[in-house]
Amino acid sequence: MTETNDFIVPPRRWAEIGGIADNLRHKLGLAEEPRVPVIEIIERVLDQRLGLVRFEVGSKQEMGRAEGYTCPNGDFIMLREDVYVGVCAGEGRPRFTAAHELGHWAMHTNIPLARARRGDGTPSFRLAEPQANQFAAEFLMPECFIDALDDEDDLIQRFGVSWEAARNRLRYLHKNGRL
């Protein structure tokens, strides 16, 4: 039996995803802020103030290994309780998880989803999880606040992300000739 681990979604270029993240930052009045308060955006702005999405915290028992979940029709974003505690404490990995779920909400609400099978050859630009990861990286670490002399520690301090997220972002920007 082949394990299912992702969904096929409409293709998006990484630059397009960066534009979606930048547009959301702009609409929220955060275009000039290096560090965004991602949980406040989801919980206080999108849920409590605007009523665009319901934010929920799920128990470890109900969520199991899933750190977050976004309803495919955009009704709610749920974070597992330990992830919520971590993001509220400003921890990098939980902040990335919250931004990842925000990416699903922003890009994958009310679109047809088809299951992808591990190793079926579906390119990453057609998969929901890599798209949401790219959104989280772009949303939390906009290129305009990064320069060629930055290292992982600079990004960790500036953006409140994990070392792994900072490393991946720098690798992506260098690989694509953007730094």
Side-chain angles (χ1 to χ4, degrees), residues 2-140:
T2 307
E3 182 181 337
T4 300
N5 64 340
D6 207 343
F7 289 94
I8 298 171
V9 294
R12 291 190 191 271
R13 295 181 335 276
W14 288 164
E16 178 187 356
I17 294 169
I20 293 167
D22 287 344
N23 187 40
L24 182 56
R25 275 176 149 264
H26 181 74
K27 285 181 178 179
L28 293 167
L30 298 168
E32 304 301 318
E33 300 295 324
R35 187 181 298 217
V36 295
V38 66
I39 196 63
E40 288 84 356
I41 291 166
I42 296 169
E43 186 173 18
R44 294 193 185 128
V45 177
L46 297 178
D47 180 358
Q48 296 171 2
R49 192 175 323 159
L50 300 175
L52 296 174
V53 65
R54 189 173 68 252
F55 176 70
E56 299 178 4
V57 177
S59 70
K60 288 183 180 183
Q61 293 86 349
E62 72 182 304
M63 294 192 70
R65 292 178 44 200
E67 295 180 16
Y69 178 74
T70 300
C71 177
N73 63 9
D75 287 344
F76 66 88
I77 293 173
M78 180 184 289
L79 294 179
R80 197 175 62 205
E81 59 193 347
D82 59 314
V83 175
Y84 179 68
V85 168
V87 73
C88 288
E91 297 172 14
R93 183 163 165 48
R95 282 176 42 80
F96 194 91
T97 299
H100 173 100
E101 296 305 324
L102 181 61
H104 281 309
W105 180 79
M107 297 185 298
H108 304 139
T109 294
N110 291 324
I111 62 167
L113 297 173
R115 291 216 181 259
R117 302 216 178 268
R118 183 172 294 172
D120 72 356
T122 303
S124 60
F125 63 86
R126 296 278 333 260
L127 294 171
E129 293 305 308
Q131 285 187 8
N133 283 338
Q134 185 67 23
F135 176 93
E138 298 276 358
F139 188 74
L140 293 176

